[in-house]
Amino acid sequence: MKRTEYRRTTFNMSSNRKLWNTLGGFDALMQYVDAACISYEEKQKMSGLSFEKFLESEKGKMSHPISSLLFGNPREKLHDLYLVYPHSCLDVFIDDFVDDMRTLGFSDFRLADTNNVSRLERLITSLHRIGINPNLYDFSMPIYTYYRYLRNGLNHDAGNKGDAKLSNSFKTVSAFKDDIDARYNYLNALKEMANLNFGDYVLCTANIKNIADLIVLSIESHINWDNFYLSVGNYPAIKKINNFVRDRQISYVKNVIWNTYSIQLSDDMCGIIVDNTITNF
């Protein structure tokens, strides 16, 4: 399913755009690195040399030094490391999303003080508490949880490969494999730690982007535009609105809303926002 098929709206938030842009750029970089590794491996196989000997032979051909590797297959190691960055980006998204929520009028919004759960789960709990229920896929959180446990094991302790939480999370997410394959039918993913491939990185990243997107979509219908205003702290240029005639004020606010939230509000609603903004200077 394409993104436009489940969104059915142009509404967006800066936190989500930043996440998609960042991970999109990283996706392209990782595809390049993976393709380069494949090419290099094929070249090594054609040489008939061991990997270490091949590296030695390549050192004299490049200005960039190639050190000996202290681990086995480099692509396997890269596939492990690929899982770390997307979760870091998700943490940044969560912090940015909280700021976005406050800007939209949810002034007291913060992560729930819930112990022993992920920051994403705390975010979803916070939304539930104010009556917002993101419509995630049944497999969204199982995928996230599995790759999060993998990331934790890779980050902190390679011995966690046999961790019970990791094993149980793999069993849980495996129950959704048919649905996952139908949603992401171009991947050969959902492997155990010992057999991770590039598809696992793509699935992990695509799922994080999808979760963020669905969370953001759940916000639109709960925004009270009647009470919304553009604060000077978030929009310093808004001070000049007093210098505009009424039609120009409305047009200016309409453009700000479009550029920030990717939606077009009516002239009447933008007029209300103009009045709210001037009142709150």
Side-chain angles (χ1 to χ4, degrees), residues 1 12 35 48-50 146 154 191 195 204 208 210 215 276:
M1 180 185 292
N12 213 337
L49 299 172
S50 67
Y146 173 60
L154 297 167
K191 306 294 183 183
N195 299 307
C204 169
I208 284 175
N210 182 254
I215 287 174
N276 293 342

Side-chain angles (χ1 to χ4, degrees), residues 154-213:
L154 297 167
N155 255 1
H156 306 299
D157 181 7
N160 280 346
K161 292 182 179 181
D163 185 89
K165 288 182 179 179
L166 179 58
S167 176
N168 290 337
S169 66
F170 182 72
K171 291 178 182 177
T172 299
V173 75
S174 294
F176 295 97
K177 192 171 190 321
D178 289 344
D179 293 333
I180 294 169
D181 287 343
R183 175 72 175 84
Y184 301 103
N185 56 11
Y186 52 90
L187 299 178
N188 175 27
L190 208 57
K191 306 294 183 183
E192 294 186 86
M193 182 179 278
N195 299 307
L196 293 178
N197 62 28
F198 189 73
D200 284 282
Y201 159 73
V202 177
L203 176 58
C204 169
T205 303
N207 186 60
I208 284 175
K209 289 163 65 177
N210 182 254
I211 287 174
D213 215 23

